[in-house]
Amino acid sequence: FLKRLSQLEEAEGGFDQFTRSYKTFGVQRQPDNSLLFKEWAPAAEALFLTGDFNEWNKFSHPYTKKEYGKWELILPPKHDKSPAVDHRTKLKVVVHTAEGDRLYRISPWAKYVTREEKSVIYDWVHWDPPEQYTQIHPRPKKPTSLRIYEAHVGIASPEGKVASYDNFTTNVLPRIKELGYNCIQLMAIMEHAYYASFGYQITSFFAASSRYGTPEELKRLIDVAHSMGIMVLLDVVHSHASKNTEDGLNRFDGSDSCFFHSPPRGEHSLWDSRLFNYSSWEVLRFLLSNLRWWMEEYRFDGFRFDGVTSMLYHHHGIGTGFSGDYSEYFGLQVDEDSLVYLMLANHILHFLYPDCITVAEDVSGMPALCRRVEEGGLGFDYRLAMAIPDKWIQILKEFKDEDWDMGNIVFTLTNRRYGEKCIAYAESHDQALVGDKTLAFWLMDKEMYSNMSSLIPMSPVIDRGIQLHKMIRLLTHGLGGEGYLNFIGNEFGHPEWLDFPREGNNQSYHYARRQFNLVDMDHLRYRQLYAFDRDMNWTEDKYGWLAAPPAFVSAKHEGDKVVVFDRANVLFIFNFHPTQSFQGYRVGVEVPGKYKIKLDSDETLYGGHGRLDHNTEFFTEEQPYNGRSYSMLVNIPPIRNVIKQLSAY
């Protein structure tokens, strides 16, 4: 790492200029309105530029070969001094190989690509609008408690179509603000030719997806989010790239390497994609510059790095289990090139943007992943607590309510490295995809289509499902990490899975949408789940348990199915027993005084039964209990939970 960083600092202009190479590569307008085109194609014999501007002449505009596999072409302005290539002009790079092949390619640095309705190949479109959107709102400061709303722009509408950036700005941002989330994680923004890849098979790394609208509309979305005090993270995919050739990076210069390792190291066997050569100077330039492009051009506030486990190990996590033994993390199986790249990326991002947030999607538990680079860590702010949603799905699939193991649940929620922050979540997009079920669907299944009206009595299935949906989310929120994440629509128990249009479903958009209209109907119980999610977040915002040290769990009673813990002077009490209520149940607390109910999932507003009097005050006794210095008596109805917050005398 230190060697690489030193090399970057000693490069011309230092790492600041090196990581802003998006200003010199691709196409750049010069002060005299001439256009400079610059590419890196080390295996090419010749390069030409063609497009609408020269009536697709394949040989009229050759690039000049420079050092280190770089190529340049300068187009002087027109007679009227305007640029030779107009805004929205289609372009192609023509690559001639040593084998005599002629290849038509999109520039890896292309800032905008589009696809004709009946075409399967994307086109490089020169994006240079006469009026560019100017963002006016400053980036929000990094919050102490991070509450993330994971979202996909294309599905963020009840309508059966690809939704737009403008729709998200107008209709979804206000909901996110109302719900109390202070950060959005935007998926599938980097351009991907195959919509159903969920944005994880990237073809154009510098292009914001045109299927949702224009770059200016995305800039407005982020600006409006900033005006609401909401940070926006980009789901960045630097772990692999699409195998597409005509509209992707693969074989850009005709070779099987260029940006990637040659096979087999350069291919991911499960994802059917290409793997970057992180030891290459030009690949580092491309990827580090890509991060700065999204930070500076669109003013994102950070990144969720996808596929970090695949990056960290030569085996990519395939067929490998991680027990936590240190031998699994420190050995020849670790890919040092990609590990050093991640260290460089985090160091540079946090040095240049102190409020930047980076999140790692890592299932392996690599030690020091979320410690500063200066300490020998990889520099991430958070890692995703990926074992938690798997645990909840396993419980709902395999165990009856009376067989739930409270100790095992608590262990999963608290099993994280001290001093390394985790983002806890009960479910994300992974659990929403077709082939799996959301928590709401596991709990209530087909009755979600017939029995969610509040005008009729709750069936036993709906009653259990609604109560457990709230309890699972709050327990995860309070105990599972130092941040919290929710996937779009899951906050109100979206009734269907997620399936993008594809051949297998006759290109249907029926499941590629989020039915926010269900929340707006007063008589449907989705509104009750929505209200609980909102108040859960705003309660955390007031008391700040996510920013507090880990909780002290004072009870995880297997027979009673009761979990009690305190965090940030907030006392959490959960009764997972399906039928047993408890009167005068003693719970331990560390801070003496008077306690009152601040959030009660049994409240009728949230689809509960209203069995608790919120005017009741609870007074501690000088009786130590369960490792706490004081205790008090409470009443706990079955399958419900309650938070009591200290109110000092």
Side-chain angles (χ1 to χ4, degrees):
F1 164 75
L2 292 175
K3 179 181 178 181
R4 274 297 188 189
L5 182 60
S6 176
Q7 290 172 339
L8 292 178
E9 291 173 339
E10 292 171 3
E12 184 177 354
F15 73 71
D16 180 66
Q17 183 172 316
F18 182 88
T19 58
R20 299 178 76 190
S21 295
Y22 63 82
K23 289 185 173 291
T24 53
F25 277 76
V27 53
Q28 307 295 333
R29 191 200 286 204
Q30 305 301 297
D32 64 352
N33 273 350
S34 62
L35 296 176
L36 170 64
F37 292 80
K38 188 174 181 179
E39 303 293 347
W40 179 63
E45 284 291 304
L47 253 63
F48 297 86
L49 183 69
T50 187
D52 293 332
F53 76 100
N54 67 358
E55 299 181 345
W56 295 96
N57 188 310
K58 304 177 186 65
F59 306 104
S60 62
H61 290 79
Y63 285 73
T64 300
K65 190 170 185 177
K66 302 292 184 180
E67 291 183 301
Y68 310 115
K70 297 174 184 176
W71 300 79
E72 288 186 2
L73 167 64
I74 296 178
L75 291 185
K78 299 176 184 177
H79 293 300
D80 62 1
K81 303 301 181 182
S82 63
V85 179
D86 296 330
H87 174 52
R88 288 188 178 272
T89 294
K90 289 184 180 179
L91 301 167
K92 286 280 189 184
V93 176
V94 184
V95 179
H96 289 251
T97 70
E99 293 75 23
D101 295 325
R102 184 187 301 163
L103 310 174
Y104 295 88
R105 298 289 188 253
I106 289 177
S107 169
W109 302 80
K111 307 303 190 295
Y112 190 61
V113 298
T114 62
R115 181 178 64 85
E116 298 291 341
E117 184 176 353
K118 295 184 179 180
S119 175
V120 295
I121 303 297
Y122 273 74
D123 296 307
W124 175 17
V125 175
H126 179 55
W127 189 259
D128 187 19
E131 294 185 10
Q132 299 187 13
Y133 184 85
T134 302
Q135 293 162 307
I136 59 175
H137 298 286
R139 287 190 174 103
K141 294 294 184 182
K142 183 187 299 187
T144 54
S145 293
L146 189 63
R147 301 182 296 274
I148 301 175
Y149 195 84
E150 183 185 31
H152 185 293
V153 169
I155 67 170
S157 164
E159 301 179 60
K161 64 178 185 180
V162 178
S164 66
Y165 294 124
D166 283 347
N167 166 74
F168 197 93
T169 302
T170 303
N171 299 318
V172 184
L173 283 181
R175 293 184 187 272
I176 296 172
K177 176 65 176 177
E178 180 190 14
L179 283 165
Y181 292 94
N182 53 25
C183 183
I184 300 169
Q185 180 182 303
L186 278 185
M187 309 176 64
I189 296 298
M190 301 169 74
E191 191 61 271
H192 48 293
Y194 185 42
Y195 189 41
S197 77
F198 222 145
Y200 292 122
Q201 292 277 345
I202 305 301
T203 46
S204 292
F205 283 73
F206 286 83
S209 182
S210 61
R211 53 172 55 85
Y212 318 126
T214 68
E216 311 312 305
E217 290 163 351
L218 174 57
K219 292 175 185 177
R220 176 175 173 268
L221 185 162
I222 296 170
D223 197 31
V224 173
H226 287 170
S227 75
M228 298 177 175
I230 299 173
M231 303 184 81
V232 186
L233 306 184
L234 174 69
D235 203 344
V236 70
V237 186
H238 283 182
S239 50
H240 65 131
S242 168
K243 271 191 172 180
N244 286 20
T245 53
E246 286 194 50
D247 54 8
L249 288 185
N250 191 21
R251 301 184 68 87
F252 172 69
D253 63 355
S255 72
D256 64 1
S257 52
C258 195
F259 289 93
F260 312 108
H261 289 290
S262 296
R265 185 178 178 185
E267 293 183 334
H268 197 292
S269 59
L270 290 186
W271 296 345
D272 193 31
S273 54
R274 298 304 311 270
L275 299 173
F276 287 104
N277 178 2
Y278 301 102
S279 65
S280 166
W281 187 255
E282 294 303 328
V283 172
L284 286 179
R285 183 196 303 276
F286 182 80
L287 294 176
L288 292 173
S289 188
N290 187 237
L291 296 174
R292 292 205 66 184
W293 163 258
W294 293 108
M295 291 293 291
E296 296 195 355
E297 182 70 13
Y298 289 94
R299 294 183 62 78
F300 278 95
D301 302 290
F303 303 95
R304 178 264 200 186
F305 280 75
D306 177 69
V308 168
T309 304
S310 175
M311 297 175 70
L312 289 176
Y313 309 97
H314 291 294
H315 53 62
H316 309 300
I318 300 172
T320 303
F322 293 94
S323 65
D325 189 280
Y326 282 113
S327 64
E328 298 166 349
Y329 309 113
F330 304 107
L332 296 179
Q333 71 273 28
V334 175
D335 188 334
E336 291 187 3
D337 293 334
S338 57
L339 185 145
V340 167
Y341 164 68
L342 291 171
M343 294 174 72
L344 286 171
N346 277 305
H347 173 77
I348 290 170
L349 285 170
H350 289 99
F351 178 82
L352 295 170
Y353 315 100
D355 284 314
C356 172
I357 293 175
T358 58
V359 181
E361 188 213 22
D362 170 51
V363 72
S364 76
M366 168 68 81
L369 185 77
C370 299
R371 299 300 298 182
R372 296 189 310 160
V373 173
E374 293 84 348
E375 299 174 339
L378 271 71
F380 286 98
D381 295 289
Y382 299 88
R383 65 153 37 96
L384 293 175
M386 300 179 70
I388 295 175
D390 291 342
K391 174 57 63 176
W392 285 124
I393 295 299
Q394 179 200 14
I395 290 170
L396 295 178
K397 286 172 64 175
E398 300 178 6
F399 296 96
K400 298 178 182 179
D401 291 359
E402 57 268 26
D403 295 331
W404 284 24
D405 186 333
M406 297 294 104
N408 186 250
I409 292 171
V410 168
F411 173 79
T412 302
L413 287 166
T414 57
N415 182 26
R416 56 188 184 272
R417 297 185 185 280
Y418 184 80
E420 297 193 50
K421 296 180 180 179
C422 286
I423 302 292
Y425 56 105
E427 53 184 339
S428 68
H429 69 270
D430 289 324
Q431 288 71 43
L433 287 171
V434 64
D436 203 341
K437 293 182 181 180
T438 62
L439 288 180
F441 224 71
W442 279 113
L443 288 164
M444 295 176 278
D445 207 68
K446 62 184 179 181
E447 289 204 24
M448 297 186 73
Y449 298 113
S450 57
N451 293 340
M452 286 295 278
S453 172
S454 59
L455 302 178
I456 60 174
M458 280 192 291
S459 69
V461 170
I462 295 297
D463 190 2
R464 170 183 176 271
I466 284 181
Q467 311 318 325
L468 282 178
H469 192 271
K470 294 177 291 186
M471 294 172 68
I472 287 171
R473 302 175 89 76
L474 181 56
L475 182 58
T476 302
H477 205 305
L479 194 58
E482 289 70 39
Y484 179 76
L485 178 143
N486 165 72
F487 178 65
I488 181 172
N490 286 356
E491 69 275 7
F492 62 86
H494 196 278
E496 292 171 339
W497 55 81
L498 183 60
D499 189 15
F500 289 89
R502 53 187 173 84
E503 288 186 9
N505 63 14
N506 296 318
Q507 303 298 331
S508 171
Y509 284 89
H510 180 75
Y511 296 108
R513 59 196 180 110
R514 298 284 92 177
Q515 299 179 62
F516 289 111
N517 53 302
L518 298 175
V519 178
D520 299 330
M521 300 181 186
D522 292 344
H523 69 286
L524 294 183
R525 296 193 183 278
Y526 299 103
R527 189 178 184 89
Q528 298 169 342
L529 295 177
Y530 181 94
F532 181 77
D533 196 81
R534 176 197 64 207
D535 292 352
M536 175 177 67
N537 281 321
W538 285 114
T539 304
E540 195 288 326
D541 186 72
K542 181 176 181 180
Y543 299 113
W545 59 74
L546 288 173
F552 182 93
V553 181
S554 58
K556 42 186 176 181
H557 198 290
E558 299 299 343
D560 296 344
K561 302 300 178 192
V562 170
V563 174
V564 181
F565 63 89
D566 54 87
R567 189 177 183 188
N569 288 335
V570 181
L571 179 66
F572 295 75
I573 306 173
F574 295 80
N575 178 14
F576 282 96
H577 202 290
T579 57
Q580 182 67 50
S581 62
F582 300 98
Q583 305 296 318
Y585 197 89
R586 185 168 296 278
V587 295
V589 295
E590 189 61 25
V591 181
K594 178 176 67 176
Y595 286 71
K596 290 182 66 71
I597 297 172
K598 294 299 180 179
L599 182 64
D600 174 15
S601 72
D602 197 44
E603 197 171 344
T604 55
L605 171 66
Y606 310 134
H609 301 284
R611 291 169 286 194
L612 289 177
D613 182 359
H614 287 204
N615 293 318
T616 303
E617 296 177 340
F618 302 86
F619 294 89
T620 59
E621 303 174 23
E622 292 188 12
Q623 180 177 337
Y625 191 73
N626 282 350
R628 303 277 82 182
S629 302
Y630 303 89
S631 62
M632 61 186 181
L633 300 177
V634 297
N635 298 330
I636 321 175
I639 295 292
R640 39 79 57 202
N641 58 280
V642 58
I643 301 182
K644 301 170 190 284
Q645 161 64 28
L646 172 68
S647 178
Y649 282 115

